[in-house]
């Protein structure tokens, strides 16, 4: 169970090449991309992308709302909101899964994995 949670899931469903974390800012479930290593087409699994986005969105909004209603200071609110952004970057490959799809013309390719 724990091994499944910490598995690096952001990888090509065909060849297993890992995608870099900077893709976390570019990934949307409706965009089909092509792996630079094997040329296979893939896209993010929609539910995994949306669950992560909603969870992190709530975690981001919470400190901002607490600061807005003077429960915590704005400095603390901005600190925790920035912390959530960093966490989203760090945790993205462990939560977002990808699936192979039929090839589509003119797909963007991913950069080389690190
Ligand atoms: Zn591949």
């Amino acid at each position: 169970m724990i091994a499944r949670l910490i598995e690096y899931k952001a990888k090509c469903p065909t060849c297993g090449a890992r995608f870099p974390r900077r893709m976390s800012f570019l990934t949307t479930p409706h965009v089909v991309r092509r792996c630079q290593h094997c040329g296979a087409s893939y896209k993010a699994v929609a539910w995994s992308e949306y669950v992560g986005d909603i969870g992190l969105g709530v975690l981001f909004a919470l400190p901002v709302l607490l600061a807005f209603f003077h429960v915590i200071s704005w400095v603390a609110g901005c600190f925790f909101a920035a912390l959530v952004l960093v966490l989203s970057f760090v945790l993205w490959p462990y939560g977002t899964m990808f699936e192979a799809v039929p090839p589509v013309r003119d797909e963007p390719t991913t950069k080389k994995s690190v």
Side-chain angles (χ1 to χ4, degrees), residues 12 15 35 37-38:
C12 175
C15 72
C35 176
H37 295 273
C38 69

Side-chain angles (χ1 to χ4, degrees), residues 53-113:
D53 287 350
I54 290 169
L56 290 169
V58 168
L59 287 177
F60 181 82
L62 190 62
V64 173
L65 287 174
L66 290 175
F68 183 79
F69 290 109
H70 305 288
V71 177
I72 60 176
S73 71
W74 273 107
V75 172
C78 291
F79 171 77
F80 287 115
L83 186 65
V84 170
L85 288 179
V86 171
L87 274 179
S88 73
F89 185 74
V90 171
L91 297 178
W92 173 80
Y94 302 104
T96 304
M97 297 180 286
F98 291 85
E99 61 187 353
V101 293
V104 178
R105 294 172 57 109
D106 300 329
E107 300 161 347
T109 55
T110 57
K111 303 282 188 215
K112 264 197 179 300
S113 298

Side-chain angles (χ1 to χ4, degrees), residues 12-50:
C12 175
T14 305
C15 72
R18 289 179 169 205
F19 301 140
R21 281 189 167 86
R22 63 180 173 270
M23 267 187 64
S24 65
F25 300 113
L26 307 171
T27 303
T28 54
H30 62 278
V31 174
V32 175
R33 294 182 173 273
R34 194 170 53 233
C35 176
Q36 191 174 17
H37 295 273
C38 69
S41 297
Y42 66 88
K43 66 175 186 163
V45 175
W47 73 264
S48 73
E49 182 72 16
Y50 290 135

